[in-house]
């Protein structure tokens, strides 16, 4: 009896399969859905709370929430996804190919606010925890391992930084990639194709990831299916960047080639120089180190880790420093991949002839969980534990007053601080790309410029010499002007 108890305890901690007869007919260990749904609900609540507080207190880090709010509103109103924030009459499919965001239109009918996008993203990210956790329990035979890796995924730096960065289309890719990796782990080849193929509608570069899924299928012996999927992904990538995006773009080409072709100073550089600079970049390699370190590097034992290569590839080649490190949203899609690759790695080392590797496989899951908890102490969600996070300061009150000073339905030019708060019921332009438009109102964050603006009327005359504007609202931090 004592031996049985000791063995059960070890199984719970290490993920070693349970006794004979505890597996389901398909060879997987039982894994009730409820615990993972509860965990996902908690994670969803944390993600959304952080996003909502950030939005409500005007701490938006970029213009992206305004852009997606404007495009989803257009879909909800059965219009072409024109995003005036990018420029008057700008068709967003000429920038990035992300028609998947049209799926948010029904939610926008119910909740016509960019906050609805933040909730949708929180739910999509949290759903990945269900897939990661339940798959872990089914494959490794331990609920403790399943819950542990679900928590590690949910608190991972890639997911938390994406939550901090407001909404992005890659939220749809996270559960799709989780389900794709699950299908590959369980040998469900048709399901892997079915879950990965829609990724080409999330963003143009995801076609390369779909091709890599085909490569993994090929390596697993599904040669015809893998080759077909790899060809589909490559063809979808080529079609979107060479045909579809240029057709919708004003400049007639895929504008993001410039991220690779030019350096930060704007001078053209050869591809060899780009590769050399990328390989010599400590910040890029630091990103890779932390990506693999959160899995105890055991993800390297799985062919699933190949799925991170397309994303890491374009990020390495990019000359935009925002693409390199651990910030922003670019690593979110990698999190379900590396954690499920870890599960595959643990499974593979159980039969290794190296005793130390077998022993390492028994402890790596709790170690990865502990690492996630330690790293979380310095990641965005920690702000939810601070009282000042929820405090409404004078700046927030002034920003709310500025938004209220713009009549519903009016066209308005604003900067990043106010953009997302105006897209639901205004035609919104961004001050940096509004050339050719003369909006009814101007709404500016006077501290958002390179220096404090003391005369907003003069600023308006400089930006729009063709019109005359007068102040309708002014505070220390914000000004609203109306076209006369």
């Amino acid at each position: 009896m004592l031996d049985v108890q000791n063995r059960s305890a070890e199984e719970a901690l290490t993920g070693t399969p349970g006794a004979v007869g505890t597996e389901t007919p398909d060879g997987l260990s039982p894994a009730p859905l409820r615990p993972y749904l509860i965990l996902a609900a908690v994670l969803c609540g944390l993600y959304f709370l952080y996003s909502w507080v950030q939005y409500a207190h005007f701490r938006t880090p970029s213009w992206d929430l305004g852009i997606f709010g404007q495009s989803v509103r257009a879909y909800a109103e059965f219009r072409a996804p024109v995003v005036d924030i990018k420029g008057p009459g700008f068709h967003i499919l000429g920038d990035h190919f992300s028609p998947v965001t049209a799926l948010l239109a029904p939610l926008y009918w119910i909740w016509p606010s960019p906050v609805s996008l933040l909730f949708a993203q929180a739910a999509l990210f949290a759903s990945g925890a269900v897939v990661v956790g339940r798959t872990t329990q089914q494959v490794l035979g331990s609920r403790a391992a399943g819950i542990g890796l679900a928590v590690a995924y949910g608190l991972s730096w890639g997911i938390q930084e994406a939550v901090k960065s407001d909404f992005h289309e890659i939220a749809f890719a996270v559960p799709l990639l989780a389900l794709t990796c699950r299908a590959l782990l369980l040998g469900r080849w048709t399901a892997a194709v079915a879950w990965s193929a829609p990724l080409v509608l999330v963003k143009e570069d995801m076609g390369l990831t779909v091709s890599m899924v085909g490569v993994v299928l090929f390596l697993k012996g599904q040669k015809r299916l893998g080759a077909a999927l790899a060809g589909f992904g490559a063809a979808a990538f080529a079609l979107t960047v060479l045909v579809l995006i240029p057709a919708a773009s004003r400049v007639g080409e895929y504008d993001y080639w410039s991220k690779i072709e030019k350096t930060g100073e704007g001078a053209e550089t050869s591809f060899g120089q780009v590769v050399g600079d990328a390989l010599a970049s400590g910040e890029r390699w630091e990103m890779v180190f932390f990506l693999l370190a959160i899995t105890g590097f055991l993800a390297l034992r799985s062919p699933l880790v190949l799925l991170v290569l397309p994303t890491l590839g374009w990020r390495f080649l990019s000359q935009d420093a925002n693409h390199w490190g651990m910030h922003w949203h670019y690593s979110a899609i990698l999190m379900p991949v590396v954690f499920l690759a870890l599960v595959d790695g643990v499974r593979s080392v159980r039969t290794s002839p190296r005793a130390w590797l077998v022993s390492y496989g028994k402890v790596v899951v709790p170690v990865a969980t502990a690492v996630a908890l330690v790293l979380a102490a310095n990641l965005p969600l920690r702000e939810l534990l601070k009282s000042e996070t929820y405090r409404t300061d004078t700046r927030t009150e002034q920003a709310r007053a500025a938004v209220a000073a713009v009549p519903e339905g009016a066209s308005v030019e604003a900067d990043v601080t106010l953009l997302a708060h105006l897209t639901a019921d205004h035609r919104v332009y961004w001050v940096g790309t509004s050339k050719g438009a003369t909006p009814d109102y101007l709404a500016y964050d006077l501290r958002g410029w390179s220096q404090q603006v003391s005369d907003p009327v003069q600023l308006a005359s400089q930006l729009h010499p063709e019109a005359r504007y007068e102040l309708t609202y002014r505070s220390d931090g914000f000004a609203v002007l109306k076209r006369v």
Side-chain angles (χ1 to χ4, degrees):
M1 178 63 71
L2 183 60
D3 180 65
V4 172
Q5 291 174 342
N6 290 338
R7 187 169 64 250
S8 298
E10 181 183 3
E11 291 164 0
L13 289 172
T14 66
T16 304
V20 177
T22 60
E23 293 185 343
T24 57
D26 56 4
L28 300 176
S29 297
L33 191 58
R34 180 180 296 178
Y36 299 103
L37 290 177
I38 293 172
L39 176 59
V42 172
L43 290 172
C44 180
L46 292 174
Y47 300 155
F48 179 64
L49 177 60
Y50 182 96
S51 300
W52 178 81
V53 171
Q54 184 169 254
Y55 173 85
H57 291 80
F58 292 82
R59 298 170 189 152
T60 300
S62 74
W63 64 348
D64 290 337
L65 181 59
I67 289 173
F68 285 106
Q70 213 165 46
S71 63
V72 172
R73 177 188 173 188
Y75 284 126
E77 295 175 353
F78 301 101
R79 295 185 286 109
V82 170
V83 175
D84 293 306
I85 291 174
K86 293 282 290 185
F90 188 97
H91 198 298
I92 197 60
L93 294 182
D95 184 51
H96 287 302
F97 189 74
S98 303
V100 70
T101 56
L103 295 177
L104 295 175
L107 177 61
Y108 202 86
W109 296 337
I110 301 169
W111 192 354
S113 166
V115 179
S116 64
L117 278 62
L118 299 175
F119 176 77
Q121 176 172 266
L124 289 166
F125 283 165
S127 68
V130 177
V131 181
V132 170
R134 189 162 181 262
T135 303
T136 301
Q137 181 175 346
Q138 289 177 312
V139 172
L140 301 185
S142 166
R143 177 175 294 186
I147 295 295
L149 275 197
V151 170
Y153 157 86
L155 298 180
S156 62
W157 57 268
I159 295 296
Q160 290 204 46
E161 289 295 339
V163 171
K164 180 182 178 181
S165 302
D166 282 336
F167 178 85
H168 289 91
E169 72 285 282
I170 54 89
F172 286 94
V174 170
L176 286 174
L177 279 168
L179 289 163
T180 298
C181 290
R182 171 184 167 83
L184 291 171
L185 269 175
L186 303 184
R188 298 170 181 173
W189 315 126
T190 303
V193 173
W195 288 121
S196 62
L199 287 168
V200 300
L201 302 177
V202 175
K203 200 174 180 182
E204 61 277 3
D205 64 287
M206 296 306 297
L208 299 177
T209 300
V210 173
S211 287
M212 193 58 70
V213 175
V215 171
V216 174
L217 283 170
F218 190 91
L219 294 175
K220 286 183 172 293
Q222 304 299 309
K223 291 182 170 51
R224 293 180 61 183
L225 189 61
L229 185 63
F232 167 76
F237 172 74
L239 179 66
T240 53
V241 300
L242 299 178
V243 179
L244 299 180
I245 291 178
S249 171
R250 290 178 176 178
V251 297
E253 63 180 9
Y254 181 53
D255 191 46
Y256 289 90
W257 291 127
S258 61
K259 297 288 186 180
I260 296 175
E261 294 170 351
K262 296 181 180 180
T263 66
E265 287 77 32
E268 293 186 2
T269 185
S270 69
F271 184 74
Q273 289 175 301
V274 170
V275 173
D277 291 344
L279 295 179
S281 170
E283 191 173 1
R284 291 173 171 94
W285 285 112
E286 179 186 11
M287 169 182 66
V288 176
F289 173 82
F290 277 97
L291 179 67
L292 298 174
I294 57 176
T295 71
F297 298 97
L298 203 56
L300 292 170
R301 296 280 301 186
S302 170
L304 295 184
V305 81
L306 294 174
L307 302 187
V308 308
L309 294 182
T311 298
L312 290 181
W314 71 256
R315 291 175 68 184
F316 257 67
L317 295 178
S318 173
Q319 300 298 308
D320 188 341
N322 290 317
H323 294 154
W324 302 343
M326 298 169 64
H327 300 294
W328 299 103
H329 58 286
Y330 304 107
S331 295
I333 61 174
L334 306 180
M335 297 298 110
V337 175
V338 294
F339 281 110
L340 287 174
L342 168 60
V343 174
D344 195 23
V346 172
R347 180 173 63 177
S348 69
V349 300
R350 286 175 171 170
T351 57
S352 173
R354 300 177 179 88
W356 69 267
L357 194 55
V358 175
S359 299
Y360 183 60
K362 293 179 179 180
V363 300
V364 70
V365 170
V367 167
T369 306
V371 168
L373 293 174
V374 171
L375 291 178
N378 293 306
L379 290 172
L381 290 182
R382 74 186 187 280
E383 300 298 324
L384 295 178
L385 302 176
K386 302 177 181 179
S387 60
E388 56 266 29
T389 299
Y390 309 93
R391 189 175 300 135
T392 300
D393 56 15
T394 302
R395 175 175 168 78
T396 299
E397 293 175 348
Q398 292 175 352
R400 291 173 181 171
V403 170
V406 183
E408 183 178 344
S411 61
V412 55
E413 176 183 285
D415 46 24
V416 168
T417 308
L418 303 175
L419 280 179
H421 294 263
L422 293 163
T423 56
D425 48 12
H426 302 84
R427 183 173 186 178
V428 184
Y429 304 93
W430 180 55
V431 62
T433 57
S434 62
K435 186 177 181 180
T438 306
D440 301 326
Y441 283 81
L442 310 177
Y444 297 143
D445 179 353
L446 301 179
R447 299 174 184 174
W449 301 79
S450 58
Q451 58 184 357
Q452 178 73 35
V453 176
S454 58
D455 190 347
V457 175
Q458 182 183 15
L459 174 63
S461 66
Q462 293 172 351
L463 296 174
H464 293 280
E466 77 283 357
R468 187 165 66 89
Y469 289 87
E470 64 179 14
L471 274 171
T472 60
Y473 170 80
R474 172 68 191 269
S475 65
D476 293 339
F478 297 88
V480 177
L481 302 93
K482 178 182 179 180
R483 181 160 57 94
V484 179

